[in-house]
Amino acid sequence: MSRMLSTDAAWRRLHEEATAPYRQSGRFGWHFARGKLGRDPAFRGMLERRLVAAHHARVLDIGSGQSLTASLLSVAASMQAQGHWPAGWPATPARIDYTGIELMPKDVARAQAAIGHLEPAPRILCADMCSAPLPACDLVVILDVLHYVDLDAQEGVLRRVREALAPGGRLLLRVGDAASTRGFVISQWVDRTVTRIRGHRVSPTWGRTLAEWTALLQRLGFAVHSIPMSQGTPFANVLLVADLEPAHP
């Protein structure tokens, strides 16, 4: 029997079921997944703010880490099929064609161990976002990774994303706003610390102001609006929602 859930009850179930597979990836992978999904406002925000639509079936996740986005959207689809979905949340895709691109082999291995069983099987590639082929897609998710490459490379990635996205497609790009000096510095320090804890090499970073990010995306043909994405944190993170026009009849 179907039963609508409250948003909080739905999120608790999503959190539990989306992170449970990461037990297969080891103790670190499971605890990291639970902490990341529980504390990072971007994941719940994607659902509550209607940022992932039912037609966004082909998902490209750049800098995918442990591919939590794939697990979250898979559980969301299952809950909707069972009728267990908040009335105020829009439908997400019933079936996800997921490609993740991640530079760090350990994260790729954890993702494959945790969600390799999903259907259709996710493609999780250990590759550099600056050179990896990008498949045709409806939704691109890039959270907190573009600052690891220089300004020219950032624009190069975004140009290739623009080419890969179908008409009417959407890019969800979370960045730090370099104009918010204190928050930006804190977010960069935390980011470097987490990178070390995860056993990865810490790289230099390159930032832009929110106005500069917006101007770049508009120059590439996107319609852009921004959503503050630092709730409950001292950071200066902003989620840029960048849309392409649908194909004309």
Side-chain angles (χ1 to χ4, degrees), residues 120-201:
R123 293 178 296 278
I124 307 170
L125 311 176
C126 188
D128 187 333
M129 64 181 173
C130 295
S131 56
L134 305 185
C137 50
D138 307 302
L139 175 70
V140 178
V141 179
I142 309 178
L143 302 180
D144 311 324
V145 295
L146 272 191
H147 60 273
Y148 285 122
V149 298
D150 64 36
L151 301 186
D152 288 341
Q154 290 171 3
E155 182 166 348
V157 170
L158 292 175
R159 285 186 181 279
R160 293 168 57 240
V161 164
R162 169 68 177 80
E163 294 168 359
L165 269 171
R170 170 170 288 174
L171 164 65
L172 299 178
L173 173 65
R174 188 168 64 184
V175 295
D177 180 6
S180 179
T181 306
R182 181 174 181 272
F184 185 73
V185 169
I186 291 172
S187 66
Q188 295 298 292
W189 179 82
V190 171
D191 188 66
R192 293 188 181 98
T193 301
V194 172
T195 299
R196 291 190 185 97
I197 291 171
R198 292 167 68 187
H200 305 321
R201 181 174 61 87

Side-chain angles (χ1 to χ4, degrees), residues 63-163:
S64 55
Q66 296 185 173
S67 293
L68 271 168
T69 298
S71 189
L72 178 68
L73 292 179
S74 176
V75 173
S78 176
M79 288 174 60
Q80 288 165 75
Q82 298 166 21
H84 298 167
W85 198 243
W89 286 5
T92 58
R95 185 176 174 88
I96 305 296
D97 181 0
Y98 175 89
T99 301
I101 296 175
E102 171 56 46
L103 185 62
M104 306 302 181
K106 290 181 180 179
D107 285 341
V108 172
R110 292 182 188 117
Q112 290 172 336
I115 65 166
H117 65 283
L118 297 180
E119 292 292 341
R123 293 178 296 278
I124 307 170
L125 311 176
C126 188
D128 187 333
M129 64 181 173
C130 295
S131 56
L134 305 185
C137 50
D138 307 302
L139 175 70
V140 178
V141 179
I142 309 178
L143 302 180
D144 311 324
V145 295
L146 272 191
H147 60 273
Y148 285 122
V149 298
D150 64 36
L151 301 186
D152 288 341
Q154 290 171 3
E155 182 166 348
V157 170
L158 292 175
R159 285 186 181 279
R160 293 168 57 240
V161 164
R162 169 68 177 80
E163 294 168 359

Side-chain angles (χ1 to χ4, degrees), residues 11 15 19 33-41:
W11 181 249
H15 182 270
T19 58
R34 289 186 62 81
K36 181 70 171 174
L37 199 61
R39 299 188 184 96
D40 189 330

Side-chain angles (χ1 to χ4, degrees), residues 23-46:
R23 290 180 181 273
Q24 306 301 317
S25 67
R27 185 177 179 84
F28 176 87
W30 180 59
H31 282 286
F32 184 85
R34 289 186 62 81
K36 181 70 171 174
L37 199 61
R39 299 188 184 96
D40 189 330
F43 294 99
R44 182 167 177 171
M46 288 182 195

